[in-house]
């Protein structure tokens, strides 16, 4: 059985969310606050490991810059 990646590729994220008006805010929230077991928007494409909160490592402004870069891919 193949091992699922812990997260989707940035290009896959960009393709899924491109053009959605609330994509940036939704993804920034996920980067800063993490994703719990109830928010598995990549179910079946990634492992079941939830993304931990990153608020200590990255500011909201840095997260927003990262998300904007991803969405331009």
């Amino acid at each position: 059985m193949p091992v699922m990646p812990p997260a989707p590729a940035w290009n896959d994220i960009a393709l899924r969310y491109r053009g959605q008006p609330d994509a940036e805010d939704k993804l920034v929230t996920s980067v800063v606050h993490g994703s719990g077991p109830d928010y598995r928007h990549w179910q079946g494409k990634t492992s079941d490991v939830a993304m931990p909160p990153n608020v200590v490592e990255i500011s909201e402004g840095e997260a927003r810059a990262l998300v904007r870069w991803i969405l331009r891919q």
Side-chain angles (χ1 to χ4, degrees):
M1 177 188 295
V3 176
M4 301 293 257
W10 290 343
N11 288 336
D12 292 339
I13 295 169
L15 287 172
R16 177 176 276 189
Y17 288 97
R18 186 172 291 130
Q20 293 183 25
D22 61 343
E24 184 177 316
D25 290 334
K26 197 181 296 187
L27 292 171
V28 167
T29 297
S30 187
V31 170
V32 172
H33 300 289
S35 63
D38 296 333
Y39 185 60
R40 302 298 305 156
H41 53 279
W42 292 91
Q43 189 82 28
K45 297 184 188 271
T46 61
S47 67
D48 287 334
V49 176
M51 185 171 82
N54 292 292
V55 72
V56 173
E57 289 85 12
I58 187 171
S59 70
E60 185 173 332
E62 292 168 324
R64 193 163 297 280
L66 174 64
V67 166
R68 286 179 180 160
W69 180 82
I70 290 170
L71 291 174
R72 285 194 302 262
Q73 299 306 304

